[in-house]
Amino acid sequence: AQSVTQLDSQVPVFEEAPVELRCNYSSSVSVYLFWYVQYPNQGLQLLLKYLSGSTLVESINGFEAEFNKSQTSFHLRKPSVHISDTAEYFCAVSRFGNEKLTFGTGTRLTIIP
Amino acid sequence: EPEVTQTPSHQVTQMGQEVILRCVPISNHLYFYWYRQILGQKVEFLVSFYNNEISEKSEIFDDQFSVERPDGSNFTLKIRSTKLEDSAMYFCASGLAGVAGELFFGEGSRLTVL
């Protein structure tokens, strides 16, 4: 079975500073990797995903994540955060199309003005 | 933009009572899921549903739980006899066939069992 570890439960960052949210996974087979975001009082939304090909994937709002197979990691980064990025971020894996997602425990990103 | 809708947004019930949580998935989606999130804990998979039957369920999804797609649009989760530990946020999600991992989630139904 696969699992996901998000070591940082909370990350406070000053506005316009860079941020990295860490995600490591464990699986005996190849996996697809995802970051979901949950804004206050909303459901989860897909932020970005890695299925195959280029190991660096980007979202439309400036986040990026890099798949590192040797380190079994899929860390999420943004060079300059905004107040609107305040949310909880979940890393997730699945083994194949339409299989259930296995989520990490989430990282709450708090932006300090 | 199409969205997944869930009702009720919040339900309070007494232990031992039956609860039905309702979801309307996006209309052309074929895969349906229920997840739950106990306060402060991770989002946990409960069950997936495809072609009018359960395709996978977790160990959490015991005989007290059931799912149904009664009329081709709604997707319901029933808990027959609620326990205190069933208190959680329950999320419904749906997805297109063949699109890995891109699930669309509802805003959740918060269940409080007293």
Side-chain angles (χ1 to χ4, degrees):
Chain A
Q2 54 271 29
S3 65
V4 178
T5 302
Q6 293 181 251
L7 288 173
D8 306 306
S9 60
Q10 296 188 63
V11 173
V13 181
F14 285 103
E15 195 173 12
E16 298 183 7
V19 69
E20 179 179 81
L21 306 182
R22 296 180 293 169
C23 172
N24 289 88
Y25 69 93
S26 173
S27 177
S28 57
V29 299
S30 296
V31 294
Y32 300 137
L33 293 155
F34 311 88
W35 277 98
Y36 276 78
V37 58
Q38 185 179 28
Y39 297 106
N41 301 313
Q42 295 186 28
L44 289 82
Q45 304 172 35
L46 179 65
L47 186 61
L48 46 75
K49 63 182 178 182
Y50 171 78
L51 304 181
S52 64
S54 172
T55 56
L56 185 66
V57 291
E58 299 177 352
S59 72
I60 58 172
N61 58 352
F63 282 94
E64 63 179 30
E66 186 159 20
F67 169 57
N68 187 318
K69 188 174 182 179
S70 63
Q71 297 187 9
T72 60
S73 67
F74 191 55
H75 301 331
L76 181 70
R77 297 188 293 261
K78 189 171 185 179
S80 176
V81 295
H82 302 118
I83 289 287
S84 59
D85 294 324
T86 297
E88 186 133 21
Y89 292 80
F90 294 92
C91 185
V93 302
S94 71
R95 292 177 302 170
F96 49 83
N98 298 116
E99 194 210 21
K100 69 176 189 294
L101 294 171
T102 300
F103 286 92
T105 49
T107 298
R108 184 172 300 278
L109 177 62
T110 303
I111 310 302
I112 305 165
Chain B
E1 186 175 320
E3 59 182 16
V4 176
T5 57
Q6 290 185 242
T7 54
S9 56
H10 190 193
Q11 180 156 358
V12 181
T13 190
Q14 295 291 325
M15 191 168 55
Q17 295 296 304
E18 176 183 282
V19 161
I20 297 176
L21 305 179
R22 292 182 168 80
C23 170
V24 179
I26 295 173
S27 61
N28 61 337
H29 286 186
L30 299 178
Y31 290 82
F32 313 109
Y33 310 81
W34 282 101
Y35 289 81
R36 79 173 185 189
Q37 185 179 27
I38 295 171
L39 190 63
Q41 298 185 26
K42 65 168 64 178
V43 177
E44 301 173 292
F45 168 76
L46 292 178
V47 65
S48 57
F49 192 86
Y50 170 72
N51 201 25
N52 286 320
E53 61 184 23
I54 290 173
S55 48
E56 186 176 359
K57 60 183 181 180
S58 72
E59 58 191 24
I60 302 168
F61 194 88
D62 61 21
D63 292 344
Q64 294 299 312
F65 291 87
S66 62
V67 288
E68 197 176 37
R69 191 159 158 78
D71 55 12
S73 61
N74 290 285
F75 180 52
T76 62
L77 174 69
K78 182 193 289 186
I79 309 174
R80 288 192 184 81
S81 179
T82 50
K83 307 183 190 70
L84 294 176
E85 54 265 36
D86 294 328
S87 294
M89 182 73 90
Y90 289 80
F91 292 104
C92 173
S94 67
L96 282 166
V99 182
E102 188 159 1
L103 302 188
F104 292 77
F105 284 81
E107 294 188 355
S109 293
R110 181 169 296 285
L111 176 65
T112 301
V113 182
L114 302 177

